[in-house]
Amino acid sequence: MKKYTYTESKDTRSGFGAGLLEAGRRNENVVALCADLIGSLKMNDFIKEFPERFFQIGIAEANMMGIAAGLTIGGKIPFTGTFANFSTGRVYDQIRQSIAYSNKNVKICASHAGLTLGEDGATHQILEDIGLMKMLPGMTVINPCDFNQTKAATIALVDHEGPVYLRFGRPVVPNFTPADQKFEIGKAVLLNEGTDVTIIATGHLVWEAIQAGEELEKLGIHAEIINIHTIKPLDEEAILTSVTKTGCVVTAEEHNRLGGLGDSVAQLLVTKHPAPQEFVAVNDSFGESGTPAQLMEKYGLNAASIVAAARKVITRK
């Protein structure tokens, strides 16, 4: 099993900020819009270098989506920024009607996703956003795992034509993927090969899956670990190849088990290669206030839960 290490922990929202600055340098049509959360979205460096390409919309998220859609008509590539809850649930009608329906080239960039928003509680956390966005025809949905991958994903959006939902978070997490990586939308990353169980993880749960793989190895269980950073379009070939070999799968995500990555994998398997599956996700509930670590522990979004799910699913083969 390949061992993964890291020298620092960084928040994925800062990866977005670094990627946005680089995207602006690479393409003069890149513009940024924010709903009064510049600091939280780490947009300061972009604004400093490109003040004429930034629009502060204020606490008017629906208006921000409409303006972004309009900017694409003039050839601009708008990146919108606010919390994931406000980027999806609050403005779903505007995204559906003004962006997705007409396939506008808007990049919807959403910070503070999932439970790990932490102490702000259930009203600001969101565990339904992946489901909301992946159901929109033509919408690409991306959920990177660390600072470097979020930066690379943000830069890659410049050359992708069409609407995208980019999801990232607030807490610092291990930064373990290569700084010089090439981000390929729709292409899964095989982190470790194995023969006994496939573990498919996304976002903050990728590092937990790696830790789980190491624990499983101590038990004589060889896990194949896949980082699914793009939930839509899903890398069906990578998943089917792996599950055909291992015969069972665990999916892990910081999202409601209904509508997320696990649902997408289950739908794929039931139609093309039926296999036992276990879900590591929030079990159809809202979150609550607490530190990110406390919440991940309480809701079972950690390496220990992935290990337990893997051991269980293997018995079902």
Side-chain angles (χ1 to χ4, degrees):
M1 169 174 281
K2 181 179 178 180
K3 303 296 182 182
Y4 288 86
T5 60
Y6 64 97
T7 57
E8 62 180 346
S9 292
K10 302 178 76 173
D11 51 317
T12 49
R13 60 176 173 159
S14 289
F16 165 69
L20 179 64
L21 176 60
E22 182 60 30
R25 289 171 175 170
R26 293 190 182 196
N27 192 313
E28 64 181 9
N29 284 318
V30 169
V31 297
L33 302 84
C34 190
D36 203 33
L37 288 168
I38 292 171
S40 294
L41 270 292
K42 304 298 182 180
M43 288 180 161
N44 303 79
D45 289 341
F46 180 91
I47 296 168
K48 183 178 180 180
E49 189 159 331
F50 306 110
E52 75 286 356
R53 288 156 59 184
F54 173 75
F55 303 92
Q56 174 60 277
I57 309 303
I59 306 174
E61 294 86 357
N63 190 35
M64 180 171 68
M65 294 303 171
I67 293 171
L71 285 166
T72 66
I73 298 172
K76 301 302 180 184
I77 306 173
F79 285 66
T80 68
T82 185
F83 290 174
N85 196 6
F86 310 147
S87 289
T88 57
R90 179 170 290 181
V91 295
Y92 197 68
D93 181 60
Q94 284 72 28
I95 293 173
R96 183 183 188 275
Q97 304 297 79
S98 298
I99 295 174
Y101 180 63
S102 51
N103 198 40
K104 293 291 192 297
N105 192 30
V106 176
K107 317 307 176 187
I108 302 166
C109 304
S111 183
H112 295 56
L115 285 172
T116 49
L117 173 54
E119 292 84 348
D120 286 353
T123 58
H124 282 57
Q125 298 159 357
I126 189 163
L127 297 164
E128 313 90 58
D129 55 317
I130 290 174
L132 286 169
M133 300 307 281
K134 78 176 188 179
M135 285 191 295
L136 291 170
M139 181 69 69
T140 294
V141 179
I142 298 174
N143 188 39
C145 67
D146 68 1
F147 173 96
N148 286 339
Q149 192 168 77
T150 306
K151 179 181 178 181
T154 305
I155 296 169
L157 298 189
V158 176
D159 297 322
H160 176 82
E161 184 67 30
V164 177
Y165 179 60
L166 176 66
R167 181 190 207 248
F168 42 92
R170 175 187 184 184
V172 295
V173 293
N175 186 34
F176 65 94
T177 66
D180 60 349
Q181 65 188 277
K182 180 182 179 183
F183 189 90
E184 295 184 63
I185 295 174
K187 185 68 175 178
V189 180
L190 179 62
L191 297 174
N192 264 313
E193 294 189 33
T195 55
D196 298 323
V197 59
T198 298
I199 300 174
I200 300 173
T202 187
H204 293 152
L205 270 292
V206 173
W207 180 255
E208 297 298 322
I210 291 171
Q211 300 301 108
E214 294 182 1
E215 292 302 311
L216 288 166
E217 187 179 40
K218 296 175 185 177
L219 301 173
I221 298 171
H222 303 288
E224 183 144 297
I225 302 172
I226 300 175
N227 172 8
I228 293 285
H229 53 66
T230 305
I231 295 171
K232 183 187 176 185
L234 192 67
D235 191 341
E236 296 186 357
E237 181 180 358
I239 294 170
L240 291 171
T241 298
S242 179
V243 177
T244 298
K245 176 172 60 173
T246 65
C248 61
V249 61
V250 172
T251 53
E253 59 192 311
E254 187 185 347
H255 189 270
N256 194 334
R257 66 178 292 166
L258 305 175
L261 169 65
D263 263 8
S264 291
V265 172
Q267 184 178 153
L268 170 65
L269 295 179
V270 78
T271 55
K272 295 189 177 180
H273 187 83
Q277 179 177 346
E278 291 291 328
F279 299 76
V280 174
V282 176
N283 189 22
D284 193 25
S285 74
F286 291 102
E288 61 186 283
S289 296
T291 68
Q294 288 172 333
L295 293 170
M296 296 290 270
E297 176 72 20
K298 175 171 182 176
Y299 288 87
L301 307 182
N302 53 26
S305 294
I306 296 173
V307 168
R311 297 180 70 179
K312 180 179 180 181
V313 80
I314 286 171
T315 67
R316 297 172 53 205
K317 286 201 286 187

